[in-house]
Amino acid sequence: MTVRRTRTMKGVRSGGVGLHAGLVLGVLLSLFPFYWTVVMSTHTSTEIFQFPPKLLPGSHFDENIGKLFDSVDFFGSMLNSAIVAGSVTFLVLFFDSLAAFVFAKFKFPGRKLLFLVMMGIFMVPAQLQAIPQFVIMARIGWIGSLTALIVPAAANAFGIFWMRQYMSGAIHDELLDASKLDGCGFLRQYWHVALPVVRPGLAFLGIFTFMAQWNDYAWPLIALTNPDHVTLQVALSQLNGVHGTTDYGMVMTGALLALIPLLVVFAIGARQMIADLARGAIR
């Protein structure tokens, strides 16, 4: 028995070591593209294409930053992206969670049919929506302004579906019944009962929405006809061939700086999500 137990413990330990080694390797592989972006942003285009490639940071980062700021209005376009991404994220969290709460916990005529219609909209590719969406925005007079980016994205089918699935399992009917006995109406149930329970789901949806809007390129390129209102991704695309040939060191510097807000948002949202999950597990 003692020998078997010793062998079992050794097998468990070796399996744990192998698992952790695999996880560490996966982390390193995931971080390498970011590290390579940092390295390329510190070199010139000539040094980037040298063989063997340079694996250590160079000394041209300040020069690439100067070229970047001279070529595009970096901070102005970053502000536009922050306004669009922040506004859309706030609106999506509110409207999608509110609609999902209704779909998940309330019965009304036509609920299943309406949900199927919404799922059908979810399956329509975004490219097919570009032309009719542009026509609508042009008739309203929003083409060229940031409103054309914010309002159409204020709610989406994916967010409603995600929060509806999350709320169906996280919010118990007994909790809502108890809140009704305490005199809570619909809005108080949504604000004081539902939202505190589903904060991990909201954190994920917020991260996903902010990153999608920050990195969006196709629709801002179509809708923003005013060069002063371009978002960051559109501004960075103008760096290709800005001096006749593409300066890849400058381009990678812009890409690196554009990643910083995403890392900050991801760190804050992931920390909130993990903390709420841990708090729920303890309860």
Side-chain angles (χ1 to χ4, degrees):
M1 292 295 294
T2 304
V3 175
R4 288 183 180 179
R5 185 177 302 176
T6 303
R7 291 179 178 176
T8 302
M9 293 180 63
K10 288 183 178 179
V12 171
R13 290 177 181 175
S14 61
V17 172
L19 176 61
H20 283 81
L23 292 175
V24 171
L25 179 61
V27 170
L28 294 177
L29 291 176
S30 300
L31 291 177
F32 181 77
F34 178 74
Y35 173 76
W36 188 240
T37 302
V38 174
V39 172
M40 287 192 292
S41 66
T42 61
H43 291 289
T44 62
S45 293
T46 303
E47 293 175 339
I48 289 175
F49 289 100
Q50 284 182 353
F51 186 84
K54 295 180 179 293
L55 299 179
L56 297 177
S59 58
H60 297 277
F61 186 68
D62 295 340
E63 178 184 345
N64 290 332
I65 287 183
K67 292 179 181 179
L68 174 66
F69 293 165
D70 292 337
S71 300
V72 296
D73 183 11
F74 183 84
F75 291 107
S77 58
M78 178 179 281
L79 178 61
N80 292 334
S81 291
I83 293 173
V84 172
S87 301
V88 170
T89 301
F90 173 78
L91 293 174
V92 164
L93 290 179
F94 175 70
F95 288 121
D96 286 10
S97 61
L98 189 63
F101 182 52
V102 175
F103 276 120
K105 292 301 174 181
F106 294 89
K107 296 181 179 180
F108 55 90
R111 181 182 67 165
K112 293 183 178 180
L113 178 60
L114 186 60
F115 187 75
L116 289 176
V117 171
M118 186 200 69
M119 293 305 300
I121 297 174
F122 177 44
M123 298 178 184
V124 177
Q127 291 79 3
L128 296 180
Q129 305 174 17
I131 295 178
Q133 189 167 286
F134 182 85
V135 172
I136 294 174
M137 295 296 104
R139 291 182 178 179
I140 297 176
W142 287 350
I143 291 297
S145 66
L146 298 180
T147 310
L149 306 183
I150 296 174
V151 175
N156 58 70
F158 168 76
I160 297 175
F161 172 75
W162 161 253
M163 292 306 303
R164 185 252 186 189
Q165 298 301 106
Y166 195 93
M167 289 181 174
S168 297
I171 303 175
H172 299 288
D173 294 334
E174 294 80 3
L175 190 61
L176 295 178
D177 294 337
S179 65
K180 289 180 182 179
L181 294 176
D182 290 338
C184 290
F186 170 76
L187 290 179
R188 290 187 64 186
Q189 284 181 328
Y190 165 74
W191 189 260
H192 296 287
V193 178
L195 289 188
V197 176
V198 299
R199 281 192 298 183
L202 289 174
F204 167 78
L205 182 59
I207 295 173
F208 180 85
T209 303
F210 188 91
M211 293 180 66
Q213 292 300 316
W214 186 269
N215 292 324
D216 191 17
Y217 171 74
W219 177 240
L221 180 65
I222 297 172
L224 296 179
T225 56
N226 188 345
D228 296 332
H229 289 168
V230 297
T231 55
L232 186 57
Q233 301 305 324
V234 178
L236 292 180
S237 68
Q238 299 173 358
L239 296 176
N240 293 321
V242 69
H243 296 299
T245 58
T246 302
D247 188 340
Y248 289 98
M250 178 181 62
V251 172
M252 297 312 298
T253 301
L256 177 63
L257 296 180
L259 279 174
I260 296 176
L262 292 181
L263 295 177
V264 173
V265 170
F266 181 81
I268 296 174
R271 183 177 181 181
Q272 178 67 32
M273 183 167 55
I274 294 173
D276 288 335
L277 288 173
R279 190 180 301 112
I282 293 174
R283 290 178 181 176

